Amino acid sequence: MSKKEFIEELNEIIKDPIFIGNSIDDLFSETGENTWGISMGQELANEFTMEELVLFFTQVQTNRKEQITQISDHPMIFYAWFDWQAASLKFSLISAFHEKLPFISPYKTIASIEPIIAEFLQFQFHDGFPIADIQDEISADMGEEEKMSEPLNVFAAVLSNDREPM
């Protein structure tokens, strides 16, 4: 897929309709309907810049805020993270009345999406993990005590349902 074709697909994501729940019981529906992922091969990832992906996420947030303003009586939380196991930038939207983001693993919220995009762009395994190369590492780690992993970095922003600019 060419970069131009990929950008056309991203433009479709920008316009996707969202689901807005009415209570905390709608969390499963919100995460199921409002979660997107972006994956690409290494060659395509090398063609993208930070600025292009920041612009994409700005457009997504603007569109989601417009939808929230038109159809919701409450704000929502837009959040994004890098899922390195899937080599994917993920983002989602849940109602702001949820007390925390729906992650099982520890996470920390960060004020800017740029570090998440940078991690994605600098990731070396967009085309898959070289299992043969890391087999020795896995064997060496088998005898060690399980290490605590770093919390997942998550960019989060509240998108209000008023007509004020983001």
Side-chain angles (χ1 to χ4, degrees):
M1 172 180 294
S2 72
K3 183 177 180 180
K4 182 181 177 187
E5 292 168 326
F6 194 83
I7 289 173
E8 288 173 11
E9 287 188 10
L10 292 179
N11 287 331
E12 291 176 22
I13 292 172
I14 291 169
K15 300 171 192 168
D16 277 350
I18 60 172
F19 172 79
I20 300 175
N22 294 315
S23 74
I24 59 172
D25 296 331
D26 292 327
L27 178 63
F28 182 75
S29 295
E30 284 182 337
T31 57
E33 297 289 325
N34 298 336
T35 301
W36 295 264
I38 300 170
S39 297
M40 58 184 78
Q42 190 67 54
E43 186 176 325
L44 191 54
N46 293 341
E47 294 182 35
F48 272 89
T49 66
M50 170 72 72
E51 293 76 19
E52 289 170 319
L53 290 176
V54 167
L55 176 62
F56 165 73
F57 279 105
T58 300
Q59 292 171 328
V60 167
Q61 289 179 75
T62 298
N63 174 275
R64 301 314 185 258
K65 180 173 173 48
E66 288 171 1
Q67 290 187 60
I68 292 164
T69 300
Q70 292 173 5
I71 60 176
S72 179
D73 62 350
H74 60 270
M76 297 189 76
I77 302 169
F78 174 87
Y79 59 103
W81 68 100
F82 174 55
D83 180 346
W84 63 270
Q85 290 178 320
S88 180
L89 272 174
K90 303 250 177 125
F91 55 101
S92 192
L93 194 69
I94 60 171
S95 293
F97 48 70
H98 296 290
E99 293 182 13
K100 63 178 193 159
L101 298 177
F103 291 102
I104 296 170
S105 301
Y107 67 91
K108 69 177 181 179
T109 57
I110 58 175
S112 171
I113 198 165
E114 282 88 350
I116 293 166
I117 294 171
E119 189 177 358
F120 174 74
L121 289 175
Q122 294 166 6
F123 191 63
Q124 298 177 7
F125 304 110
H126 287 283
D127 293 329
F129 291 100
I131 296 298
D133 293 347
I134 63 172
Q135 199 105 26
D136 292 337
E137 280 184 46
I138 293 170
S139 298
D141 288 343
M142 296 292 272
E144 292 183 21
E145 192 174 311
E146 189 173 327
K147 298 176 184 173
M148 198 64 181
S149 64
E150 293 285 321
L152 178 67
N153 284 332
V154 180
F155 166 74
V158 175
L159 305 180
S160 66
N161 61 335
D162 58 30
R163 298 202 180 271
E164 295 175 15
M166 280 190 345

